[in-house]
Amino acid sequence: MQTTTVNEEKNSKLMKGIVVGAIVGGAVAMLDSTTRQKVKRATGSAVDSSKGFYTNVKENPSEFKNDWMERIQSASEVLKEAVNDAQTLYEKVNDEVVEQVNQVKEDSSEVISSAKEAGEDIQEIGSKVKEAGQEVADSENTASEPTNISGSETRTPGSMTANPRTN
């Protein structure tokens, strides 16, 4: 409760400072004769236009009323047209753009699915290539060991020693 009072006092002092500052600023500005003349003209113009407005309303209230009703109806028609145009634009965007966006989403989903399948196929091919490489490596390892065939000499692959029986 005490902080609320402190805040209210600060706000009150702030408002007083703003009002005093505005008054002092206005008074200093009025020291200039050009500014005084401009203020007099603007004030006189505002007074004249408000007097003319008041006089027109007082002398012809029904004409004033009709004039304002026409203006309001005209503004209302313009707003209705704007709303119709906005609705037409919304429908056009909804029909054309949203449909195209949905098609792009669908197409991209298909592309992603195809890419995943291709990735899986590539992994499978890679596994088969690796397996084939291991089989080749294993067969080279077993082939480099001496082979004993009955009735032949011991030889290793790539040696040029002939089998005595074949000569």
Side-chain angles (χ1 to χ4, degrees):
M1 182 170 185
Q2 189 175 16
T3 55
T4 306
T5 306
V6 172
N7 287 338
E8 288 175 3
E9 288 177 14
K10 286 181 182 179
N11 288 339
S12 176
K13 289 179 183 178
L14 176 66
M15 289 305 296
K16 287 177 186 175
I18 291 173
V19 170
V20 169
I23 292 171
V24 170
V28 169
M30 290 304 206
L31 293 176
D32 182 36
S33 63
T34 308
T35 305
R36 282 194 306 269
Q37 293 301 322
K38 285 182 182 178
V39 169
K40 281 182 186 178
R41 277 186 252 134
T43 305
S45 175
V47 168
D48 290 343
S49 66
S50 61
K51 281 182 183 178
F53 180 74
Y54 177 74
T55 303
N56 286 339
V57 171
K58 186 176 179 182
E59 289 176 359
N60 244 341
S62 62
E63 185 179 321
F64 176 78
K65 175 187 158 198
N66 291 337
D67 182 47
W68 274 97
M69 290 301 290
E70 287 176 14
R71 289 182 186 188
I72 290 171
Q73 285 177 344
S74 175
S76 175
E77 289 174 12
V78 170
L79 284 173
K80 283 179 185 177
E81 288 177 16
V83 167
N84 286 338
D85 290 347
Q87 187 173 9
T88 302
L89 178 64
Y90 171 77
E91 290 170 357
K92 182 178 180 180
V93 166
N94 196 26
D95 290 344
E96 294 176 7
V97 174
V98 172
E99 183 178 319
Q100 290 176 0
V101 167
N102 288 337
Q103 184 63 40
V104 168
K105 282 182 183 178
E106 185 178 313
D107 291 347
S108 63
S109 295
E110 289 175 10
V111 167
I112 290 171
S113 176
S114 296
K116 284 182 181 178
E117 288 176 12
E120 291 170 358
D121 291 345
I122 288 172
Q123 282 181 335
E124 187 176 319
I125 291 169
S127 297
K128 288 180 180 179
V129 168
K130 183 178 179 182
E131 182 180 322
Q134 286 176 348
E135 285 184 20
V136 168
D138 288 346
S139 69
E140 284 180 2
N141 288 340
T142 56
S144 64
E145 295 174 1
T147 315
N148 288 329
I149 300 175
S150 61
S152 69
E153 299 176 353
T154 303
R155 57 182 192 149
T156 58
S159 71
M160 299 303 280
T161 311
N163 187 349
R165 290 188 187 173
T166 56
N167 286 344

